[in-house]
Amino acid sequence: MYYNGIYHLFYQYNPKGAIWGNIVWAHSVSKDLVNWEALEPAIYPSKPFDINGCWSGSATVLPNNVPVIFYTGIDPNQYQVQNYAVPANLSDPYLREWIKPDNNPIVVADKTMNKTAFRDPTTAWKVGGHWRMLVASRRKLRGMAYLYRSRDFKTWVKAKHPLHSVANTGMFECADFFPVSLSGDNGLDTSAVGPNVKHVLKVSLDLTRYEYYTIGSYIPEPRDKYLVDKSFVDGWGGLRYDYGNYYASKTFFDPSKNRRVLWGWSNESDTAQDDVHKGWAGVQTIPRKLWLDPSGKQLLQWPIEEIETLRGQKVQLSNQQLKLGEHVEVKGITAAQADVDVTFTIPNLEKAEPFDPSWTNAQDLCGLKGSTVQGGVGPFGLLTLASENLEEYTPVFFRIFKGQDKQVVLLCSDASSSSLRKDGLYRPSFAGFVDVDLADKKKISLRSLIDHSVVESFGVGGKTCITSRVYPTLAVFGNAHLFVFNNGTETITADVEAWSMAKPSKMNN
């Protein structure tokens, strides 16, 4: 949240090690979303209603400028209950100490609900005389977003109907519900409603370990309906913020810059992704600004502008031709810690391979047609975190197919060749399709932020985003290299801008 000139990040943390358990709310503060100072935990198990854990939640700043935390506590029965906390001292700019009032918990599951699958209360919003919030849950395999209302922010009553539910998704987690403007890239306060507003419902799915979102119309009166727009798939085949290692994300409205900021969690990949809760370590990804694409069909994301303050040495490659099988090094920057922005020009799309309509799963397609599989138009892109002789590399690349009506564009971030380590490393071929029409422009852009074990990539201005966690053994520190490449028969031209990236002066210390 942003409060009185300070950004506050609260996050799930085990003080005793990088494994699941002993969960507290760690607390860090910043003035620019880049440099962070760690404080003492804001919340830790101390009362009967949270004695077995303080799990995820949210923050809401009330109209009287008082911030309130909602969080899930684990009670003595191992039931998940919803609690709140308030600052002990509003004159402390860092809000170091938080109080949990004795009227907690404020929301408990009733007898019709699953008391051990009921968590992650959202930021509250107010329409008319009532505040609302969602709590994520499941009923058997149906994902549930239960709605609660309150007049005074203390007494909460469950609505007769959930705001939304979807069959066969499994458990909803870390739900987020917020408005987006139909025009422009400014963010909106979480309580905004009206004719020029759409709403986004994002859920993290426990069964897939991915996040999905829909865009629709929110009708608060008379009984709070969320109607998903007809073009959206609602479930496992739906749109994602990020098609890689990205989970448990949360947005907040930043009134200082009139934007909505998205922040997610990229888990470690030392084991299969199913074991994420066992080897439960990770990093916060780079904060992203988020807004509605002018088409209304998806969201756009882009690294917050403050990240550019870390840029140092800059190099450029202009009008670099890339023929079949060529890779050209981008020299003069710290390739292990870099910001790369490249525009590829495609003279002719005629050589694009035909697209098989059965290729509905982008990740499977990337595994089938990786960066070394010769194509017509593509694969072309970046070889990030590469060793000098390409024993290790993480390619981030496009491949363009000829569809029935227009081109089909695939973006891949393929970790399968990222490391020589053999010990059960999770190395998926992450991928997503990109909704872009190349008929007129014949140009396509890619930005990748590289930070040692993290590669965050933004295709076509943030239409498709992929985060990969990789663990090279050779391509580390000064031995990491960066290349642009093409392995398609159509010659491609690349225009590259790349920067060495400095470390923040305060890295959560």
Side-chain angles (χ1 to χ4, degrees):
M1 70 174 178
Y2 179 84
Y3 182 71
N4 287 358
I6 305 280
Y7 295 101
H8 294 258
L9 169 67
F10 305 98
Y11 59 98
Q12 299 277 274
Y13 177 60
N14 179 356
K16 297 181 179 178
I19 57 170
W20 173 256
N22 313 302
I23 299 301
V24 304
W25 272 46
H27 183 193
S28 299
V29 290
S30 173
K31 291 184 177 175
D32 60 7
L33 289 174
V34 174
N35 296 282
W36 289 89
E37 180 181 342
L39 306 177
E40 288 299 305
I43 306 174
Y44 47 86
S46 65
K47 298 279 186 92
F49 47 77
D50 66 10
I51 198 63
N52 286 312
C54 296
W55 288 12
S56 297
S58 61
T60 304
V61 180
L62 299 182
N64 61 355
N65 204 35
V66 173
V68 179
I69 281 172
F70 287 151
Y71 72 101
T72 298
I74 312 302
D75 75 6
N77 298 315
Q78 299 296 328
Y79 293 161
Q80 297 170 16
V81 299
Q82 315 315 316
N83 306 312
Y84 78 108
V86 292
N89 179 10
L90 283 173
S91 63
D92 172 11
Y94 282 4
L95 303 177
R96 290 174 176 87
E97 190 182 343
W98 292 75
I99 294 168
K100 308 166 188 173
D102 289 333
N103 63 330
N104 278 307
I106 50 170
V107 170
V108 297
D110 64 34
K111 62 185 179 184
T112 69
M113 297 157 64
N114 188 330
K115 293 179 169 63
T116 58
F118 179 64
R119 54 184 176 267
D120 312 332
T122 65
T123 299
W125 71 97
K126 191 178 188 183
V127 183
H130 283 95
W131 287 95
R132 285 111 160 135
M133 71 164 159
L134 302 180
V135 182
S137 185
R138 67 178 169 87
R139 184 187 293 154
K140 295 184 178 175
L141 279 176
R142 176 177 281 273
M144 308 292 288
Y146 288 114
L147 177 71
Y148 290 82
R149 299 189 189 98
S150 174
R151 286 190 177 278
D152 61 5
F153 221 76
K154 293 175 182 175
T155 303
W156 292 84
V157 178
K158 181 185 163 198
K160 187 176 178 184
H161 303 281
L163 184 73
H164 197 58
S165 72
V166 183
N168 300 315
T169 59
M171 173 76 191
F172 283 180
E173 292 190 300
C174 304
D176 201 10
F177 187 64
F178 57 90
V180 287
S181 174
L182 279 175
S183 58
D185 60 359
N186 281 346
L188 295 173
D189 180 86
T190 307
S191 293
V193 291
N196 297 314
V197 173
K198 284 282 187 180
H199 273 72
V200 177
L201 177 62
K202 185 276 303 185
V203 292
S204 307
L205 292 188
D206 196 28
L207 287 182
T208 66
R209 309 309 299 173
Y210 296 126
E211 303 200 296
Y212 305 83
Y213 73 87
T214 54
I215 299 170
S217 299
Y218 169 53
I219 304 156
E221 306 293 356
R223 68 173 189 94
D224 287 287
K225 282 185 179 177
Y226 172 65
L227 304 174
V228 177
D229 285 356
K230 285 196 171 111
S231 61
F232 284 84
V233 175
D234 197 357
W236 288 17
L239 292 180
R240 300 187 212 163
Y241 286 161
D242 191 297
Y243 291 83
N245 266 66
Y246 197 84
Y247 200 71
S249 71
K250 184 76 181 71
T251 68
F252 72 97
F253 176 61
D254 176 4
S256 72
K257 297 213 167 180
N258 222 21
R259 63 185 172 181
R260 184 156 288 271
V261 177
L262 167 69
W263 222 353
W265 181 262
S266 188
N267 59 282
E268 294 275 8
S269 308
D270 270 347
T271 55
Q273 197 174 16
D274 291 344
D275 293 336
V276 63
H277 274 133
K278 297 171 193 165
W280 194 77
V283 296
Q284 296 291 150
T285 58
I286 285 165
R288 304 172 181 179
K289 179 176 171 175
L290 174 146
W291 69 101
L292 185 65
D293 182 76
S295 71
K297 293 179 181 177
Q298 66 168 103
L299 298 172
L300 298 176
Q301 301 163 62
W302 200 245
I304 56 164
E305 61 188 7
E306 290 90 334
I307 290 298
E308 296 171 21
T309 63
L310 299 177
R311 286 175 172 174
Q313 174 73 27
K314 179 183 179 182
V315 297
Q316 287 180 279
L317 289 178
S318 296
N319 214 25
Q320 176 67 57
Q321 278 209 336
L322 297 166
K323 294 178 180 171
L324 172 66
E326 287 187 337
H327 61 277
V328 174
E329 185 164 7
V330 182
K331 295 181 178 178
I333 57 161
T334 54
Q337 202 165 294
D339 185 355
V340 192
D341 205 338
V342 54
T343 299
F344 297 100
T345 304
I346 309 148
N348 197 323
L349 295 164
E350 286 304 309
K351 293 179 184 173
E353 307 155 71
F355 184 75
D356 184 333
S358 70
W359 291 337
T360 55
N361 186 304
Q363 188 164 323
D364 289 349
L365 182 54
C366 181
L368 180 71
K369 292 183 176 285
S371 64
T372 60
V373 179
Q374 183 181 317
V377 183
F380 58 83
L382 299 171
L383 303 179
T384 72
L385 296 172
S387 58
E388 188 172 9
N389 297 314
L390 299 184
E391 299 96 338
E392 294 178 330
Y393 58 95
T394 300
V396 184
F397 62 93
F398 293 106
R399 187 185 285 264
I400 297 168
F401 300 90
K402 197 178 292 178
Q404 275 194 306
D405 303 319
K406 66 172 189 174
Q407 292 78 29
V408 177
V409 179
L410 180 73
L411 175 63
C412 295
S413 182
D414 186 356
S416 59
S417 55
S418 61
S419 178
L420 294 176
R421 276 177 56 179
K422 302 293 184 196
D423 52 352
L425 203 61
Y426 179 55
R427 286 181 284 212
S429 304
F430 286 134
F433 293 111
V434 191
D435 184 11
V436 58
D437 190 348
L438 297 173
D440 297 330
K441 238 179 163 183
K442 296 193 175 66
K443 287 181 186 285
I444 195 165
S445 65
L446 173 66
R447 183 179 178 189
S448 289
L449 290 157
I450 303 158
D451 193 4
H452 298 279
S453 74
V454 191
V455 181
E456 286 189 61
S457 298
F458 301 80
V460 192
K463 278 178 173 272
T464 300
C465 308
I466 307 178
T467 300
S468 286
R469 298 299 304 277
V470 293
Y471 302 91
T473 60
L474 301 176
V476 296
F477 301 108
N479 295 321
H481 299 262
L482 173 69
F483 301 90
V484 283
F485 81 98
N486 177 31
N487 204 15
T489 54
E490 180 66 43
T491 298
I492 302 295
T493 303
D495 289 282
V496 182
E497 290 185 308
W499 294 262
S500 295
M501 293 293 274
K503 287 184 179 180
S505 57
K506 277 190 177 179
M507 282 193 20
N508 214 29
N509 49 20

PDB file of all heavy atoms in Angstrom, residues 358-369:
ATOM      1  N   SER A 358      -4.717 -27.617 -33.453  1.00  0.00           N
ATOM      2  CA  SER A 358      -4.655 -28.442 -32.228  1.00  0.00           C
ATOM      3  C   SER A 358      -3.608 -27.922 -31.246  1.00  0.00           C
ATOM      4  O   SER A 358      -3.539 -28.371 -30.108  1.00  0.00           O
ATOM      5  CB  SER A 358      -4.347 -29.899 -32.588  1.00  0.00           C
ATOM      6  OG  SER A 358      -3.008 -30.035 -33.047  1.00  0.00           O
ATOM      7  N   TRP A 359      -2.776 -26.977 -31.666  1.00  0.00           N
ATOM      8  CA  TRP A 359      -1.746 -26.414 -30.782  1.00  0.00           C
ATOM      9  C   TRP A 359      -2.373 -25.360 -29.871  1.00  0.00           C
ATOM     10  O   TRP A 359      -2.147 -24.171 -30.036  1.00  0.00           O
ATOM     11  CB  TRP A 359      -0.624 -25.791 -31.601  1.00  0.00           C
ATOM     12  CG  TRP A 359       0.226 -26.776 -32.354  1.00  0.00           C
ATOM     13  CD1 TRP A 359       0.414 -28.093 -32.079  1.00  0.00           C
ATOM     14  CD2 TRP A 359       1.008 -26.512 -33.532  1.00  0.00           C
ATOM     15  NE1 TRP A 359       1.264 -28.663 -32.996  1.00  0.00           N
ATOM     16  CE2 TRP A 359       1.654 -27.722 -33.899  1.00  0.00           C
ATOM     17  CE3 TRP A 359       1.236 -25.375 -34.314  1.00  0.00           C
ATOM     18  CZ2 TRP A 359       2.494 -27.824 -35.003  1.00  0.00           C
ATOM     19  CZ3 TRP A 359       2.072 -25.471 -35.403  1.00  0.00           C
ATOM     20  CH2 TRP A 359       2.702 -26.678 -35.746  1.00  0.00           C
ATOM     21  N   THR A 360      -3.137 -25.778 -28.926  1.00  0.00           N
ATOM     22  CA  THR A 360      -3.816 -24.831 -28.036  1.00  0.00           C
ATOM     23  C   THR A 360      -2.990 -24.502 -26.800  1.00  0.00           C
ATOM     24  O   THR A 360      -3.231 -23.489 -26.149  1.00  0.00           O
ATOM     25  CB  THR A 360      -5.171 -25.394 -27.592  1.00  0.00           C
ATOM     26  OG1 THR A 360      -4.956 -26.687 -27.004  1.00  0.00           O
ATOM     27  CG2 THR A 360      -6.130 -25.525 -28.777  1.00  0.00           C
ATOM     28  N   ASN A 361      -2.017 -25.368 -26.470  1.00  0.00           N
ATOM     29  CA  ASN A 361      -1.211 -25.164 -25.266  1.00  0.00           C
ATOM     30  C   ASN A 361       0.138 -24.567 -25.666  1.00  0.00           C
ATOM     31  O   ASN A 361       0.978 -25.232 -26.275  1.00  0.00           O
ATOM     32  CB  ASN A 361      -1.016 -26.503 -24.538  1.00  0.00           C
ATOM     33  CG  ASN A 361      -0.301 -26.331 -23.205  1.00  0.00           C
ATOM     34  OD1 ASN A 361       0.790 -25.780 -23.145  1.00  0.00           O
ATOM     35  ND2 ASN A 361      -0.917 -26.823 -22.140  1.00  0.00           N
ATOM     36  N   ALA A 362       0.343 -23.289 -25.320  1.00  0.00           N
ATOM     37  CA  ALA A 362       1.559 -22.581 -25.739  1.00  0.00           C
ATOM     38  C   ALA A 362       2.816 -23.223 -25.170  1.00  0.00           C
ATOM     39  O   ALA A 362       3.840 -23.338 -25.854  1.00  0.00           O
ATOM     40  CB  ALA A 362       1.472 -21.115 -25.311  1.00  0.00           C
ATOM     41  N   GLN A 363       2.740 -23.660 -23.907  1.00  0.00           N
ATOM     42  CA  GLN A 363       3.925 -24.245 -23.272  1.00  0.00           C
ATOM     43  C   GLN A 363       4.338 -25.546 -23.965  1.00  0.00           C
ATOM     44  O   GLN A 363       5.524 -25.781 -24.209  1.00  0.00           O
ATOM     45  CB  GLN A 363       3.657 -24.481 -21.783  1.00  0.00           C
ATOM     46  CG  GLN A 363       4.890 -24.906 -21.004  1.00  0.00           C
ATOM     47  CD  GLN A 363       4.697 -24.766 -19.501  1.00  0.00           C
ATOM     48  OE1 GLN A 363       4.055 -23.829 -19.027  1.00  0.00           O
ATOM     49  NE2 GLN A 363       5.259 -25.682 -18.739  1.00  0.00           N
ATOM     50  N   ASP A 364       3.370 -26.364 -24.311  1.00  0.00           N
ATOM     51  CA  ASP A 364       3.676 -27.600 -25.039  1.00  0.00           C
ATOM     52  C   ASP A 364       4.287 -27.285 -26.401  1.00  0.00           C
ATOM     53  O   ASP A 364       5.221 -27.959 -26.850  1.00  0.00           O
ATOM     54  CB  ASP A 364       2.408 -28.441 -25.236  1.00  0.00           C
ATOM     55  CG  ASP A 364       1.913 -29.056 -23.932  1.00  0.00           C
ATOM     56  OD1 ASP A 364       2.657 -29.011 -22.930  1.00  0.00           O
ATOM     57  OD2 ASP A 364       0.775 -29.567 -23.924  1.00  0.00           O
ATOM     58  N   LEU A 365       3.751 -26.250 -27.067  1.00  0.00           N
ATOM     59  CA  LEU A 365       4.247 -25.881 -28.387  1.00  0.00           C
ATOM     60  C   LEU A 365       5.690 -25.376 -28.308  1.00  0.00           C
ATOM     61  O   LEU A 365       6.518 -25.694 -29.175  1.00  0.00           O
ATOM     62  CB  LEU A 365       3.336 -24.823 -29.002  1.00  0.00           C
ATOM     63  CG  LEU A 365       3.675 -24.333 -30.413  1.00  0.00           C
ATOM     64  CD1 LEU A 365       3.788 -25.488 -31.398  1.00  0.00           C
ATOM     65  CD2 LEU A 365       2.628 -23.323 -30.883  1.00  0.00           C
ATOM     66  N   CYS A 366       5.994 -24.623 -27.258  1.00  0.00           N
ATOM     67  CA  CYS A 366       7.364 -24.136 -27.078  1.00  0.00           C
ATOM     68  C   CYS A 366       8.314 -25.307 -26.829  1.00  0.00           C
ATOM     69  O   CYS A 366       9.444 -25.320 -27.313  1.00  0.00           O
ATOM     70  CB  CYS A 366       7.413 -23.151 -25.923  1.00  0.00           C
ATOM     71  SG  CYS A 366       9.055 -22.463 -25.632  1.00  0.00           S
ATOM     72  N   GLY A 367       7.848 -26.312 -26.068  1.00  0.00           N
ATOM     73  CA  GLY A 367       8.665 -27.503 -25.849  1.00  0.00           C
ATOM     74  C   GLY A 367       8.908 -28.279 -27.134  1.00  0.00           C
ATOM     75  O   GLY A 367       9.977 -28.862 -27.345  1.00  0.00           O
ATOM     76  N   LEU A 368       7.910 -28.267 -28.010  1.00  0.00           N
ATOM     77  CA  LEU A 368       8.007 -28.979 -29.287  1.00  0.00           C
ATOM     78  C   LEU A 368       8.888 -28.233 -30.282  1.00  0.00           C
ATOM     79  O   LEU A 368       9.676 -28.828 -31.014  1.00  0.00           O
ATOM     80  CB  LEU A 368       6.584 -29.137 -29.864  1.00  0.00           C
ATOM     81  CG  LEU A 368       6.414 -29.844 -31.202  1.00  0.00           C
ATOM     82  CD1 LEU A 368       6.688 -31.335 -31.052  1.00  0.00           C
ATOM     83  CD2 LEU A 368       4.994 -29.618 -31.734  1.00  0.00           C
ATOM     84  N   LYS A 369       8.757 -26.915 -30.290  1.00  0.00           N
ATOM     85  CA  LYS A 369       9.484 -26.082 -31.259  1.00  0.00           C
ATOM     86  C   LYS A 369      10.323 -25.056 -30.505  1.00  0.00           C
ATOM     87  O   LYS A 369       9.968 -23.876 -30.413  1.00  0.00           O
ATOM     88  CB  LYS A 369       8.497 -25.405 -32.217  1.00  0.00           C
ATOM     89  CG  LYS A 369       7.799 -26.390 -33.166  1.00  0.00           C
ATOM     90  CD  LYS A 369       6.885 -25.680 -34.134  1.00  0.00           C
ATOM     91  CE  LYS A 369       6.267 -26.617 -35.149  1.00  0.00           C
ATOM     92  NZ  LYS A 369       7.208 -27.049 -36.192  1.00  0.00           N
TER      93      LYS A 369
END
